[in-house]
Amino acid sequence: MDTAVSGWGRHRLALEPGRHRVEVWVPYILPRKAGRATCEIGVDQGAEVTLEYMAPTITLARGALGAPGEQTSTGYSVVMILNVVALVVILAFCVVGMFA
């Protein structure tokens, strides 16, 4: 059964009992489905399953989908490393400029 839901926020879906594959992504230009994440869930009769999606920090990274409160944004460490490298380069140019 394919059910599409769009927009941020909470969504409730009525599913038949059994195994289901949930796929979440953020629509983007390139790639078309940024931050794609998938999860297999089992739904029992009358049960409610709650999932949480966390979009990645970097567009090309994978998203996270699973139990609420356990998801973290991927790509954060790469962004922090790039920020530190940029800061070191800027400071190096400033120091060189002071002594030139």
Side-chain angles (χ1 to χ4, degrees), residues 18-30:
R19 304 279 312 155
H20 299 276
R21 180 173 179 258
V22 179
E23 184 176 28
V24 181
W25 67 85
V26 178
Y28 199 65
I29 299 168
L30 287 173

Side-chain angles (χ1 to χ4, degrees), residues 49-95:
V49 177
T50 303
L51 297 174
E52 179 180 73
Y53 171 74
M54 181 73 69
T57 304
I58 297 175
T59 304
L60 298 176
R62 297 192 66 76
L65 180 63
E70 296 180 8
Q71 307 313 307
T72 58
S73 182
T74 56
Y76 181 78
S77 58
V78 174
V79 169
M80 289 297 105
I81 290 169
L82 292 175
N83 285 339
V84 168
V85 169
L87 183 60
V88 168
V89 169
I90 291 169
L91 289 175
F93 277 114
C94 290
V95 169

